[in-house]
Amino acid sequence: MNSLVTYQVEDNLALIGLARPPVNALGQPLRAALLQACEQANSDPAVRAIVIFGASGLFCAGADITEFGSPASFATPNLPDVLLRLTRLDKPLVAAIGKLALGGGLELALACGYRIGEPQTRVGLPEINLGLLPGAGGTQRLPRLIGVQAALEMMISGAQVPAKRALELGIVDRLAGSAEHLLASACEYARELIASGAPARPSEPFADPAKGVAADFFERYCVEQEPRWKSRLAPRLVFSAVQAACLLPLEQGLARELALFKQAEASRQSEALRHVFFAEREAGKVPGIDASTPLRPIAKVAVIGAGTMGGGIAMNFANVGIPVILLERQGDALDRGLTQIRQTYGISVKRGKLSEAQLEQRMALLSGTLDYADLADADLVIEAVFEKLQIKQEVFRTLDRVCKPGAILATNTSSLDVDQIAAVTSRPQDVIGLHFFSPANVMRLLEVVNARETAADVLATTLKMGRSIGKIPVVSGVCFGFIGNRMLEPYAREAHRLVLEGATPAQVDGVLTGLDLNMGVFTMLDLAGVDVNFLVRDANRAAIAHDDSYCRLGDELYALGRYGQKTGRGFYQYEGRERHNDYEVIALAERLAGELHVTRRPVDDGEIHARCLFMLINEGIQLLDEGIALRSGDIDLVWINGYGFPAHLGGPMHYAEQYGLDKVLAGIRHYRDSLGDYGRMWFTPAPLLERLVAAGKTTIERI
Ligand code: 3HC
Ligand code: NAI
């Protein structure tokens, strides 16, 4: 037997083990081996039932994602055909689902007549996260097994369902007592089936999935859900396939599913989301560190500053059971910080996401102090005090004195030079930047700023720590704003300038949200605070820009006390949470344009798209060339997870590749030549972009 599956006949049972580490992805060779093993078992008179299991414990994480978009994806035998064949074998099949059955893995289990899990089993159909729908029978067989509502919910959410819930829903028939006993229990189950003369496939609990469902179920579902889907294709295709399960007999439903799957697989959105999937895995691979790099233990964390960021940062650790001590300058600030954390947890309790007991457990892991001596045993200290170099340097001098040798000293600065902070300590090798995003307990991005002298084990430890608190850590070099905020600068600059030239904030934001960005530049500034943005800009004018006239509008709004949502007025005016255009802002833009000799004219949406996006992309390419970002996929992760760039566009770098690098370059040159002095000042193509286009490259890489 092929080494991709193990095969054994024991006591009338064929035991077929999937053996393609790490996750038994169902690529063509495994599909062929599995089919061959099942056929062999079916034709062996000594075999009366078949058990399929994961040879290393884990059952299967689905189709092989690396095959999508290539002929291998449907190379014979393709997955839908293999699974159809399995449903037609005349002996009972038992799927022994250890750990995970995801996507095609769950579809494989659904093609078996019987399924058993273990207490740690999780099942799910996460295809939607890859811009796909289940394509090997899942959209047709799951509704027939558990009913249309539960099935649709699983496919639209892509969520993993834990063992107990899978049992309640009827996705698994029973659970083994433990993972170790799974195979033995599956064999026992198979023997019971033989003894009772059970059919190869039991009848379906929801043979007519539409029965019992309200006549207007699909219509209502669509009205409620569609606005959230924005321009995403996959949810709509999942929805159509599940509707087909209710309208068509199985065979026709499977054909419909296949057609929809192929449409999804060929889509740009799926290509982009597959890129994001691999970029997330790639981001952990950093030159100079590997599995042999030692890791420092992190059993106790300290956070300096219990403000907006410090509190959120601390919650991340309490959430995973790590004790955190918060240090403040004064008791009232500390009390405020801890109260705010309790309130934030309280909101989760109200929403049913956390129990009162869990809230108390987490709060019990958090303590406060005003005394640096209490930080002596911390393994990791994260500083989140005011954004002023002198203050941060003072904190680090103190940490250097009080912290134990080997403690990792991190700064959450969003713009300051981490090298300059490290330099005031006697241990710059232990200093690193950990740039969390607001709200720090929610946002998944963590920029890990690898300073000049940061030691490899400090970098490796913080990357692992980041993943263990549920973040997506991305390594950045040291520069003003690191990857994310540095790219924000030219993108926001264009937004401001376009308003001076004649666009309105709402028009600019509308173009950006039209691309499915979570929010436009001006809505974001109003939310983050016009004042916060002003203060950072004001402290760094020299580093940001040689001509800052474009941000005069922001400066004037600051001077008028229009700080954004918190004051009810900023780039927009607010009534509660409702946002309205404010003609005073437009009048202000007109006045400033006059003072700055900017000619006002109607600006079309295409120009807004091009100028904001191309400048964002250009800066990203420049960062890659400078080595601040290790790879273009890292830049995409930063913008997707920190700045609300839609994952189904793949991030700004992937978007540029799909758009055409030559077109981006041509656009930048066009505005350089057509916007007068302003164009000549700002629209300089990144040299790497020019080299890539000259070399005929269509993907962004360092050359
Ligand atoms: N295909 C190909 N490679 C896969 C894979 C898959 N389905 N799932 C995981 N891998 C690879 C990863 O790329 C990674 O490779 P690397 O070591 O070379 O970087 C390796 O397996 C380990 O993966 P992770 O680093 O992600 O390991 P974790 O333990 O953190 O997570 C996991 C494991 C939960 C299985 C996670 O990898 C995952 O979510 N995988 C994708 C699951 C999925 O989306 N399945 C549906 C596929 S589409 C489908 O089935 C279509 C069907 O309906 C026709
Ligand atoms: P904040 O003003 O809400 O909190 C800062 C806290 O630090 C205050 O509670 C203050 O009392 C305390 N503090 C000041 N000096 C201190 C000292 N010497 N010792 C102990 N505590 C001290 O500020 P915020 O927004 O939490 O920002 C903190 C840091 O995080 C800054 O460096 C900021 O640039 C960065 N950051 C902020 C983000 C945001 O969106 N607010 C996002 C990412 C990073």
Side-chain angles (χ1 to χ4, degrees), residues 63 71 110 135 138 233 249 311 333 388 419 449 469 527 587 617 668 670:
L110 295 174
L233 180 64
K388 280 252 181 301
D419 289 327
V449 185
I469 58 170
L527 187 67
I617 292 162
I668 294 172
H670 166 75

Side-chain angles (χ1 to χ4, degrees), residues 383 388-397 411 413 415-426 428 431-433 449-454 478-480 482 540 543:
E383 164 279 310
K388 280 252 181 301
L389 184 64
Q390 292 76 3
I391 300 181
K392 290 194 191 277
Q393 285 179 327
E394 196 45 46
V395 168
F396 273 75
R397 278 189 200 101
T411 171
T413 179
S415 57
L416 299 172
D417 183 335
V418 183
D419 289 327
Q420 287 189 37
I421 296 173
V424 302
T425 72
S426 62
V431 177
I432 195 161
V449 185
N450 191 18
R452 195 168 47 227
E453 298 196 43
T454 305
V478 176
C479 68
F480 176 78
F482 316 123
N540 296 286

Side-chain angles (χ1 to χ4, degrees), residues 24-27 31 60-68 79 102-105 261:
N24 293 328
L26 289 160
R31 298 196 296 265
C60 175
D64 187 336
I65 301 168
T66 61
E67 288 185 346
F68 291 139
L79 193 57
L102 298 179
F261 181 86

Side-chain angles (χ1 to χ4, degrees), residues 304-310 327-329 333 372 384-387 391-392 395 412-414 435-436 438:
I304 321 262
T308 311
M309 293 305 288
L327 183 140
E328 262 287 348
R329 295 170 304 173
Y372 272 94
V385 305
F386 301 136
E387 186 77 348
I391 300 181
K392 290 194 191 277
V395 168
N412 181 51
T413 179
S414 40
H435 184 207
F436 288 81
S438 182

Side-chain angles (χ1 to χ4, degrees), residues 101-156:
L102 298 179
L106 178 56
E107 292 174 300
L108 165 60
L110 295 174
C112 299
Y114 304 91
R115 288 160 299 279
I116 176 168
E118 41 93 359
Q120 300 309 319
T121 295
R122 283 170 292 140
V123 300
L125 292 171
E127 283 88 343
I128 199 158
N129 300 327
L130 298 167
L132 298 169
L133 59 148
T139 65
Q140 307 302 301
R141 294 194 182 104
L142 193 63
R144 287 174 165 84
L145 184 67
I146 65 170
V148 70
Q149 297 189 32
L152 185 58
E153 171 54 30
M154 263 179 79
M155 291 179 229
I156 291 287

Side-chain angles (χ1 to χ4, degrees), residues 95 97 106 109-117 123 141-147 150-151 154 161-175 189 201-206:
I97 307 175
L106 178 56
L110 295 174
C112 299
Y114 304 91
R115 288 160 299 279
I116 176 168
V123 300
R141 294 194 182 104
L142 193 63
R144 287 174 165 84
L145 184 67
I146 65 170
M154 263 179 79
V161 176
K164 239 173 95 191
R165 180 73 184 136
L167 184 66
E168 283 164 12
L169 285 170
I171 298 175
V172 292
D173 313 318
R174 53 174 80 177
L175 295 177
Y189 188 16
R201 286 186 77 74
S203 55
E204 287 152 333
F206 293 83

